[in-house]
Amino acid sequence: MRLEINNNYPTLVTTDDLEYANYISERMNVARVYGPREINAWQTLKLMSKARNLYCANSTLSLWASFLVLALGGSVYCPYPFFRDAEMESAAAFRPK
């Protein structure tokens, strides 16, 4: 499935893997990439929670940011299954509908 990104809003990337994020960002219209030396976890959570559309990763931080975005009326796109480990997947309570 291909999602159309609304170009009226800047695309921001937060990551702890700057090398890969910069590689991906060259192929997308990314306004800014933030790494761990620029913003801390709390600042990242605040930034992510302000998104109208959030594309999250398999991480607890992304899961909490997703919760906040949904609570504020935004849209969230998560990987499915959320967990990579098949044993953990069976214990997952979070499932998109």
Side-chain angles (χ1 to χ4, degrees):
M1 177 167 94
R2 182 173 172 81
L3 298 171
E4 295 298 322
I5 296 175
N6 185 338
N7 290 329
N8 294 328
Y9 303 105
T11 301
L12 306 176
V13 174
T14 61
T15 184
D16 58 357
D17 186 351
L18 285 173
E19 183 178 343
Y20 188 67
N22 286 326
Y23 171 79
I24 295 294
S25 296
E26 291 172 1
R27 288 144 183 82
M28 297 171 56
N29 186 19
V30 174
R32 178 94 192 258
V33 176
Y34 293 95
R37 291 186 178 174
E38 297 172 278
I39 58 176
N40 65 35
W42 288 110
Q43 292 167 321
T44 301
L45 184 61
K46 182 176 181 180
L47 178 66
M48 292 172 71
S49 73
K50 301 294 183 188
R52 290 183 186 254
N53 295 297
L54 180 67
Y55 299 85
C56 70
N58 288 343
S59 73
T60 306
L61 181 67
S62 287
L63 185 63
W64 280 109
S66 298
F67 173 79
L68 294 170
V69 168
L70 290 171
L72 295 171
S75 299
V76 174
Y77 303 90
C78 291
Y80 181 78
F82 191 77
F83 297 103
R84 291 183 200 169
D85 185 343
E87 290 178 12
M88 291 183 74
E89 182 185 349
S90 65
F94 178 77
R95 297 233 187 253
K97 294 186 181 192

